[in-house]
DNA sequence: AACGTGACTTATT
DNA sequence: GAATAAGCCACGT
């Protein structure tokens, strides 16, 4: 219906907030959880409009484990610093999803 | 309404 | 493994 878009955004934020410290998830996983097959782009768009500072967008990365959105943070290295600070090992701007992947 | 863009994903070459 | 193409959803102009 009409305000599905807002609901969709709200759901994305809720899932991202639920990501435990020291873990990461992918755009596709979130999108799938929301019922979208390939809504990964929408998840990224939702992050762009994330007015809530409590949303740990740095824990959301792409399927390859790359920190795709690091450029959107205060500093390009800030995202890597946050993840490393929480116990996530970042190698060459990539994270080992086999160990740190969290599924909603 | 149409076109282009984007913090994506998967498959193909 | 890199580059290309196609697919999907939402937003701005």
């Amino acid at each position: 219906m009409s305000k599905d878009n807002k609901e969709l955004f709200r759901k994305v934020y809720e899932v991202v907030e639920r990501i435990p410290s020291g873990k990461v998830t992918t755009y596709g996983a979130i999108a799938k959880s929301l019922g979208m097959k390939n809504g990964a782009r929408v998840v990224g768009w939702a992050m762009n409009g994330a007015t809530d500072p409590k949303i740990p967008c740095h824990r959301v990365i792409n399927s390859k484990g790359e920190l795709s959105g690091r450029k959107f943070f205060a500093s390009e290295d800030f995202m890597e610093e946050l993840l490393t600070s929480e116990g996530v090992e970042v190698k060459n701007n990539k994270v080992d999803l086999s160990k740190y992947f969290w599924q909603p």
Side-chain angles (χ1 to χ4, degrees):
Chain A
M1 314 311 196
S2 354
K3 52 177 134 81
D4 281 11
N5 348 27
K6 300 243 185 197
E7 285 287 293
L8 183 60
F9 271 53
R10 197 175 74 70
K11 282 168 158 194
V12 173
Y13 300 145
E14 201 164 315
V15 174
V16 176
E17 283 184 54
R18 256 178 109 186
I19 303 175
S21 180
K23 294 273 176 185
V24 296
T25 192
T26 70
Y27 299 99
I30 297 173
K32 220 167 173 181
S33 259
L34 300 179
M36 291 186 294
K37 273 171 169 293
N38 299 40
R41 276 183 159 113
V42 180
V43 177
W45 208 261
M47 294 292 111
N48 198 16
T51 60
D52 238 317
K54 116 196 263 300
I55 302 174
C57 350
H58 60 272
R59 293 186 188 141
V60 185
I61 57 186
N62 66 8
S63 323
K64 300 182 188 101
E66 300 172 304
L67 285 52
S68 30
R70 68 183 211 189
K71 270 210 140 236
F72 281 60
F73 287 79
S75 304
E76 297 182 17
D77 297 332
F78 190 50
M79 189 174 182
E80 183 179 330
E81 293 260 326
L82 284 171
L83 292 171
T84 303
S85 183
E86 293 183 354
V88 179
E89 227 173 339
V90 181
K91 285 281 188 203
N92 199 14
N93 296 323
K94 288 193 228 166
V95 179
D96 190 345
L97 295 174
S98 313
K99 295 183 187 320
Y100 302 106
F101 177 66
W102 174 82
Q103 171 118 14

